[in-house]
Amino acid sequence: MAEPLMNPEKVLIVEDEDNERTGLAELISAWGYRTETARDGLEALEKISAWSPSIVVTDLKMPRMSGMELIERLDSQPQSMAVVVVTAQGTIDSAVEAMKKGANDFIQKPIDTIRLRSILQNLSTLIETRAELEVTRRKLRDAGSLGSLVGSSKKMQEIFRLIEMVAPSTASVLITGASGTGKELVARTIHELSPRRNKAFIAINCAAIPETLIESEIFGHEKGAFTGALERRTGCFELAEGGTLLLDEIGEMPVATQAKLLRVLEDRKLRRLGSKVETTVDVRVLAATNKVPEEAVARGELRNDLYYRLNVFNIHMPPLREHKEDLADLVQALISDMNTKHGRKVTTISDAVLHAFQNYSWPGNVRELRNSLERAIIVCDGSVIETKHLPPGFGQNVVRQAVSDPDAVRLGVGTTVEEAEKLLILKTLEATSNNKTRAAEILGISLKTLHNKLKEYGSAQADVAAAKEE
């Protein structure tokens, strides 16, 4: 029998089946928790009001008030509770919907007791760290930073809010955005603010591993599993046991490997290559991609079922050009990091450098900013970075393109804003070989907006053609 908890959490079990309700209460009590039971959502609300549990384990289908309705009611309650949803086999969509409404985790019937105990332990740790998270929130409001992420703009503040919301849970998160926007930093911050922060954070770039080796890297292999497997290898899932695994560039993972990954996510069990034994794993999986996921699914590059399993919660990182108001804060944070790394004492950048930064489009995003500053700090012989310390030709790119680039858009005096916009969009599409996703990214607009603009242009051209025929 498990040793009782030093400060046992209160767990309310909500289940309409008498045997299952009693069995769950006895099991959870044996682990050292204090338990109460309720037959449906209405009775659960009464018990919550009188007993104030910290964790609620609830079935979804119940008479009078369902588990989904209960979750919605709990969301409006002043006290904060963690919720675990119990679902029947084949109802994963309902579990995902429950998590979007506020549930922290879910478990399928028949209940895997090892996984349930792990979930309760993680939630207990979460409850203990709420005070620490409140300190972090104050830091966020006061300093405009969260972990290694920096920004006071509305876009970054919204991202911080989403990270704070999802970090304490065990939900999978899909992080999207162009290369260099800081997707891995988001993943690390989620890990650092989660109950798993004292365990491993493992990141693997699916695009950087040959297709023949990626399964071995992720799931591990036994000695002799294939030619060259001279010894047993532990995969990333087992290395991240109890912690967090980031699958970067998930859209580059072979489809066959995606199918095996989906099974591990659903069953929490994996089998090393060449092994006949399944290993249970407790790992939170985060994924990142610089592709538009829906388009990757449509092209067959990303399995539809895996996408929905990973996309329980989505965080999109904007390109740097869309939140340039954060440049000054980003620069100071990066200078501090670079000073430590290279042993320098640079304090700031000149007004001329800041002006150049503000007028640059940053196609490489924050990664490009970091690289530019690192080079400048290395060559800087004083405490202030001047334009002469920037990479050769920096800031002149746009001027050069306007003069010599055959793809540049040239506008005559009297061109209307609407005409200029149309010329710019069509020229960008031409330059990207009609890649609408890339064009929208370069233009700084959403793919939906681009499609709407093209539809407008198509209608206008049709009207012109009709007028000519008349």
Side-chain angles (χ1 to χ4, degrees), residues 304-329:
N304 188 58
D305 46 8
L306 178 61
Y307 166 58
Y308 285 112
R309 184 64 181 78
L310 292 172
N311 196 40
V312 173
F313 204 95
N314 175 255
I315 295 177
H316 179 72
M317 290 298 289
L320 180 54
R321 65 176 177 273
E322 291 184 3
H323 59 111
K324 285 186 180 179
E325 57 266 52
D326 292 324
L327 266 171
D329 291 337

Side-chain angles (χ1 to χ4, degrees), residues 104 121-130 132-133 136-137 146-147 162-171 173 186-202 240 242-245 282-286:
N104 297 77
Q121 287 173 335
N122 288 336
L123 291 177
S124 295
T125 304
L126 160 65
I127 291 162
E128 292 171 4
T129 59
R130 277 175 179 156
E132 296 175 28
L133 291 176
T136 303
R137 291 188 184 95
L146 186 65
L162 292 174
I163 290 173
E164 283 187 309
M165 186 186 304
V166 77
S169 74
T170 59
V173 181
V186 171
R188 287 185 179 276
T189 304
I190 290 172
H191 173 74
E192 290 165 5
L193 294 179
S194 77
R196 297 171 179 263
R197 64 188 180 279
N198 294 322
K199 299 290 185 178
F201 175 86
I202 303 294
T244 306
L245 173 62
D282 172 26
V283 176
R284 183 183 193 177
V285 175
L286 310 178

Side-chain angles (χ1 to χ4, degrees), residues 256-275:
T257 307
Q258 291 181 29
K260 295 183 178 181
L261 171 62
L262 180 63
R263 186 182 174 199
V264 174
L265 293 177
E266 292 179 343
D267 298 343
R268 305 286 175 166
K269 294 178 181 178
L270 63 82
R271 183 178 294 156
R272 298 191 196 100
L273 296 182
S275 175

